Amino acid sequence: MPHLARIDLYPFKSLDGITVQSANILASGALEHDREYACFDRQGKVVNGKRYAQIHQLRSQVSNNYQTLTLQAPHTDPQTFHIDQERDALKAWLSDFFQLDIQIHQNSAAGFPDDTDSPGPTLISTATLETVAAWYDDLTVTELRRRLRTNLEIGGVPAFWEDQLFTDADHLVQFQIGSVILKGVNPCQRCIVPTRDSQSGVATPKFQKTFLQNRKQALPEWVNPARFNHFYRLAVNTRIPQGQDSVLTQGDQVILKGIVEV
């Protein structure tokens, strides 16, 4: 039976995530506390793994109440900051680490998703993670999870089951997790981040080439190939219709509902 097996949030965009038992749905359709904070440079560009590979060496932990952030750079002791009350000290620490003038912004209403047109949670199946990890000699499911940084993981299904959660560009696939209605939009285009070790930033040799070859071969026959202008795509971007005052909880059943127009 398809079910929600795991929920991961990333309170600070591009920093380490946390696994939670449940997640609230915001009015915007985003998950509460996911990508709620982000670092920006002086030009207003987000500081993330796509632009700064050294971010992979930065370990972080947000407290259970989302009020403090503990950071640790290589060969240093961890330091904990109250995100609001010690914001200047936090910015100074991050500025020193990145050698940039770091600014911290917060968006508690919608977060800072990569895809602003589809700010709902990204979704993948556990079996897909297991299959893709097996394409590489030394890649574990845990490490692949950290590289892909998806929010929702579906259990009880075969690999690439989530590819049925999108169709052509003019339609969305509606499905339900627990009491929450979601709409699958498209296969997620991956960036350079999954090619790197999540702890060191060192690139995995031929990661993208291996991925492209295997993803094409493993693509289910019933998938609309028009959604793949290239095969460096994995997981599904979603939208959650606004106004749902609901919660996603581990163990929730997943039910397909049908295709609707965009």
Side-chain angles (χ1 to χ4, degrees):
M1 181 69 68
H3 64 275
L4 181 57
R6 184 183 174 105
I7 306 172
D8 287 314
L9 302 178
Y10 298 87
F12 256 82
K13 188 176 179 71
S14 298
L15 298 187
D16 292 336
I18 58 174
T19 302
V20 297
Q21 293 294 315
S22 61
N24 295 324
I25 308 299
L26 297 171
S28 62
L31 299 185
E32 185 179 20
H33 301 303
D34 188 52
R35 278 84 172 182
E36 181 176 0
Y37 297 92
C39 295
F40 292 83
D41 63 19
R42 202 177 189 89
Q43 288 71 45
K45 295 182 178 179
V46 67
V47 175
N48 57 22
K50 298 175 188 177
R51 302 177 62 219
Y52 298 97
Q54 69 263 41
I55 201 170
H56 296 291
Q57 300 177 33
L58 181 57
R59 302 278 62 79
S60 65
Q61 178 65 49
V62 173
S63 60
N64 290 336
N65 61 8
Y66 302 96
Q67 292 185 2
T68 66
L69 175 67
T70 300
L71 296 171
Q72 185 174 17
H75 314 299
T76 67
D77 294 328
Q79 294 192 45
T80 300
F81 303 89
H82 192 286
I83 298 172
D84 292 327
Q85 299 175 7
E86 299 178 292
R87 182 71 63 90
D88 288 343
L90 175 57
K91 290 191 295 184
W93 194 99
L94 288 165
S95 296
D96 182 66
F97 176 79
F98 286 106
Q99 293 297 292
L100 296 168
D101 183 8
I102 294 292
Q103 300 298 313
I104 298 172
H105 298 312
Q106 179 183 12
N107 185 341
S108 57
F112 296 97
D114 287 342
D115 188 343
T116 56
D117 291 329
S118 303
T122 51
L123 180 150
I124 198 168
S125 70
T126 305
T128 295
L129 292 171
E130 294 169 346
T131 296
V132 174
W135 294 345
Y136 304 88
D137 292 336
D138 300 314
L139 189 60
T140 66
V141 170
T142 298
E143 169 62 13
L144 182 60
R145 211 178 256 132
R146 288 196 296 253
R147 295 188 186 197
L148 295 176
R149 304 173 66 81
T150 52
N151 295 120
L152 307 181
E153 195 171 307
I154 306 302
V157 297
F160 309 112
W161 173 91
E162 65 276 10
D163 283 346
Q164 66 186 301
L165 299 181
F166 56 83
T167 180
D168 60 71
D170 295 323
H171 295 85
L172 306 176
V173 176
Q174 189 163 280
F175 61 103
Q176 186 170 337
I177 303 179
S179 62
V180 180
I181 298 296
L182 301 92
K183 295 179 179 180
V185 181
N186 59 275
C188 183
Q189 179 170 282
R190 311 315 311 190
C191 64
I192 194 172
V193 170
T195 70
R196 305 192 196 115
D197 185 280
S198 65
Q199 308 290 299
S200 68
V202 175
T204 298
K206 299 181 180 179
F207 181 93
Q208 192 167 349
K209 181 179 180 180
T210 299
F211 187 101
L212 288 167
Q213 292 174 344
N214 285 278
R215 180 67 162 127
K216 182 178 181 180
Q217 293 176 0
L219 196 71
E221 294 181 357
W222 37 262
V223 171
N224 184 350
R227 302 312 302 270
F228 289 84
N229 56 332
H230 57 76
F231 291 94
Y232 193 47
R233 292 179 176 270
L234 193 71
V236 179
N237 291 327
T238 72
R239 299 172 190 167
I240 297 179
Q242 295 187 3
Q244 294 190 69
D245 184 16
S246 300
V247 179
L248 292 171
T249 303
Q250 283 191 33
D252 282 346
Q253 185 177 353
V254 182
I255 302 173
L256 295 177
K257 304 293 285 187
I259 297 174
V260 298
E261 292 185 355
V262 174

